[in-house]
Amino acid sequence: MSTAVAPHVDVARGSTLTGTGSLVRFVLRRDRVRLSVWAASMVAFYAYFTYALDTVFADPVAQQGRAAVMETPAGIVMGGPGYGLDHYTTGPAMANEGIVWVVLALAIFSILHVVRHTRAEEESNRSELVRAAVVGRHAHAVAAVLTLVIAQAVIAVLSALAMVAVGDLAVADSFAMTVGSGLSALVFGGVALVACQVTEHARTATGLSLAAFGAAFVVRAVGDMRELGGSPLSWLSPIAWAQQMRAFVDLRWWPAVLSVVAAVVLLWVASVLASRRDFGGALLRSRPGRADARASLRSPFAMAWLQQRGMLLWSSLGLGLLWFATGTLMPEIDTMVGDIIADNPVAQQIFGADPSQLSVTFLGVMILYAALCCAAYAVVVAQRPKAEETSGRGEVLFSLPVSRHRWLGAQVAVAALGTVVLLAVSVWTTWAGAVVVGWDDQTFGDYTTVLWTYLPALGVFLGLVVALYGWAPRLTGLAWALLAWTFVIGMFGALFDLPDWVFRLSPFDWVPTAFSGDFAAGDLAVLWGVTAVLVVLGFVGFRRRDLMTA
């Protein structure tokens, strides 16, 4: 259990914000690694996206081909309202295609940060320990928001500097894009704070906040599809406020004020609601559960399923919509990407130089992206046993007649099942999107074959986390390094002159090229073998070590 330093306070003032400064310092110290990883990841994304647009799609033909894609319905949904399409250079492309995804990532960060330091602390009773000292009623919430603002400001400044350094982009527009995106994400942090007053559970608050983001995404997409440049409906979404600043096209700062006003209003609403509820309570009280669980729920597998099903549901829904929209782009790939490939040697190394194979190669790259998302899901859910153990719930569970192997087996089985389901949803929705628009060059069987060939590679990611958890739980984060390496090799490996063994460190390098008709049973057998060995090692290690206690 984490401990907090009792804040030095002016007791005589009796403010509801007493102790906020001490809590801010405590949050920054406690989350220093987590915040650093988020900041480094976002800055790296900005730098990578700028570099990719400035090299792979550098010539005018390639840029206008990309602009033509962004005028399609799928392009508008996945990108932005379409500013600067007539002169589509790196800057407008960054703003038009990147803001939605940047706001998505920053909104998730904001929601998780606010829930982690407010409702989750209250739910675990750690807030009660802190409140044993002289700490104001709203100090926790204000400290969470202040640290979120600090983190967003650091990310915005460093990201803007990265864009200027990598792509030589305009300084004011770069800062407008990063600051506007950060302010939009702060709005969802405010939504999360309100949700924390409505529900007693951190997971429900997180789900409600993510649902709010999903609604904002749909409103923005529908509004932008009504009219190029956005319609009045678009302005109802905080995501659109960052896009409507028109960075790199016709910069204007006043839409950022909307995000500031919305965030302030949400914080005020959360403050009012927090003043009207008891500590640990919420405006909506949870319904009492059954006195006895059904027989179907009395097993470690049922418990693991209940814990992971929500994440699987929302991940399947989000990725399913994403890859379905991607599939609808297939009929336009040959004409739009063909011109890009013809005069671009860098793009030829990534997509291949044969014009007749462009659509297949593009589809293979999209499947690779989908598999990477599923690998990230596998890494996250495979760490669930570690969370159960460190929270103390595992210790309570093992006081019952449940063996370690049975409990860990249930957790791993549900994680593996969820990974398979998510990959199937990603692959088959891509097929469905292509079929809807009349693209049937690849059959359902071809997609299913691709699905089966990627499964053992995903098993390696799952097995690695299990092995690390069994022997060194603190090192489970190393699985992210393997995922990052797989991404670099999968997307840009062709650009580097590296020895073969370096490529073979990536599990996806053992997978046959999607839709190529090649099938190397030996390579897939190796992946299955590595997966099995890693899982067995994890079980052996978990059996031999002591439990981590809360």
Side-chain angles (χ1 to χ4, degrees):
M1 178 180 293
S2 301
T3 57
V5 177
H8 299 288
V9 299
D10 182 359
V11 179
R13 292 176 58 187
S15 169
T16 57
L17 301 181
T18 298
T20 300
S22 296
L23 288 176
V24 167
R25 292 193 294 275
F26 170 66
V27 170
L28 292 176
R29 185 176 184 280
R30 178 187 176 190
D31 281 6
R32 58 188 183 280
V33 175
R34 180 172 170 272
L35 294 175
S36 299
V37 170
W38 268 100
S41 301
M42 291 307 304
V43 174
F45 174 79
Y46 273 108
Y48 156 71
F49 200 24
T50 304
Y51 176 78
L53 290 173
D54 213 32
T55 53
V56 180
F57 301 97
D59 64 274
V61 175
Q63 290 168 344
Q64 287 313 120
R66 201 174 179 91
V69 173
M70 300 312 298
E71 285 186 288
T72 64
I76 293 173
V77 171
M78 306 298 291
Y83 289 117
L85 296 182
D86 54 341
H87 185 56
Y88 206 60
T89 56
T90 300
M94 281 288 296
N96 199 52
E97 302 174 35
I99 286 180
V100 167
W101 304 107
V102 169
V103 174
L104 168 62
L106 293 178
I108 291 175
F109 165 62
S110 300
I111 292 169
L112 295 179
H113 183 84
V114 169
V115 173
R116 170 183 169 86
H117 292 290
T118 54
R119 176 51 68 178
E121 290 291 285
E122 211 166 317
E123 191 175 1
S124 66
N125 291 325
R126 281 191 286 264
S127 288
E128 191 172 11
L129 292 177
V130 176
R131 288 195 181 192
V134 184
V135 175
R137 183 182 186 87
H138 299 311
H140 272 98
V142 174
V145 172
L146 288 177
T147 51
L148 177 61
V149 171
I150 293 171
Q152 294 282 13
V154 171
I155 291 173
V157 171
L158 295 180
S159 299
L161 294 177
M163 292 171 64
V164 174
V166 174
D168 195 23
L169 300 176
V171 175
D173 294 84
S174 299
F175 273 93
M177 177 176 169
T178 58
V179 172
S181 300
L183 289 175
S184 292
L186 278 179
V187 175
F188 294 100
V191 171
L193 194 58
V194 173
C196 288
Q197 317 310 317
V198 174
T199 177
E200 295 179 350
H201 303 292
R203 290 181 188 174
T204 307
T206 301
L208 290 173
S209 305
L210 292 175
F213 181 89
F217 181 89
V218 172
V219 169
R220 196 281 309 167
V222 174
D224 287 352
M225 290 181 68
R226 286 186 172 186
E227 183 179 340
L228 188 63
S231 68
L233 180 63
S234 305
W235 288 88
L236 298 179
S237 169
I239 302 172
W241 300 339
Q243 294 175 322
Q244 292 297 339
M245 292 174 70
R246 302 179 183 175
F248 304 105
V249 180
D250 181 22
L251 179 61
R252 53 185 183 181
W253 286 92
W254 66 263
V257 177
L258 297 175
S259 297
V260 176
V261 172
V264 171
V265 170
L266 286 167
L267 296 180
W268 175 78
V269 171
S271 172
V272 172
L273 295 179
S275 301
R276 297 174 183 275
R277 68 173 178 85
D278 296 330
F279 175 79
L283 297 182
L284 298 180
R285 300 181 60 181
S286 300
R287 293 178 302 174
R290 292 165 54 96
D292 298 311
R294 293 190 295 270
S296 60
L297 298 178
R298 297 173 184 170
S299 69
F301 185 90
M303 181 177 178
W305 169 250
L306 288 174
Q307 291 171 332
Q308 298 185 29
R309 65 180 181 180
M311 182 175 178
L312 176 61
L313 172 64
W314 290 109
S315 299
S316 299
L317 181 62
L319 290 180
L321 291 173
L322 172 65
W323 299 121
F324 180 86
T326 301
T328 62
L329 294 173
M330 288 308 300
E332 305 167 56
I333 295 303
D334 280 344
T335 55
M336 296 180 182
V337 183
D339 293 337
I340 299 173
I341 301 297
D343 302 318
N344 193 322
V346 177
Q348 287 177 7
Q349 287 184 282
I350 296 176
F351 294 99
D354 186 357
S356 64
Q357 295 296 314
L358 285 182
S359 59
V360 175
T361 306
F362 175 82
L363 195 55
V365 172
M366 293 302 103
I367 293 295
L368 173 63
Y369 269 121
L372 286 168
C373 293
C374 296
Y377 174 87
V379 172
V380 172
V381 294
Q383 296 188 55
R384 183 73 200 180
K386 177 184 174 184
E388 290 297 294
E389 189 177 341
T390 54
S391 68
R393 284 191 291 270
E395 193 174 9
V396 175
L397 189 66
F398 290 130
S399 65
L400 301 173
V402 177
S403 69
R404 290 192 178 196
H405 285 177
R406 186 185 175 201
W407 174 76
L408 182 59
Q411 292 284 342
V412 174
V414 174
L417 176 64
T419 304
V420 172
V421 170
L422 192 60
L423 181 63
V425 169
S426 300
V427 172
W428 286 337
T429 51
T430 306
W431 165 79
V435 169
V436 165
V437 295
W439 181 270
D440 56 0
D441 285 16
Q442 288 77 38
T443 66
F444 181 79
D446 294 332
Y447 281 86
T448 304
T449 300
V450 171
L451 164 64
W452 288 119
T453 55
Y454 267 99
L455 284 180
L458 296 180
V460 173
F461 287 96
L462 187 69
L464 178 60
V465 178
V466 175
L468 290 171
Y469 170 68
W471 291 94
R474 298 182 184 279
L475 300 180
T476 52
L478 289 178
W480 291 108
L482 178 62
L483 183 62
W485 180 249
T486 302
F487 172 77
V488 172
I489 290 299
M491 294 305 303
F492 305 106
L495 303 179
F496 307 125
D497 185 19
L498 300 174
D500 290 342
W501 68 268
V502 174
F503 287 87
R504 302 301 266 179
L505 293 177
S506 164
F508 286 1
D509 192 64
W510 297 73
V511 177
T513 303
F515 307 106
S516 65
D518 298 334
F519 187 82
D523 288 349
L524 298 182
V526 169
L527 290 175
W528 282 121
V530 171
T531 300
V533 169
L534 290 172
V535 171
V536 170
L537 282 175
F539 275 77
V540 172
F542 184 57
R543 181 69 179 86
R544 294 169 64 88
R545 69 170 173 82
D546 294 332
L547 289 177
M548 296 183 294
T549 56

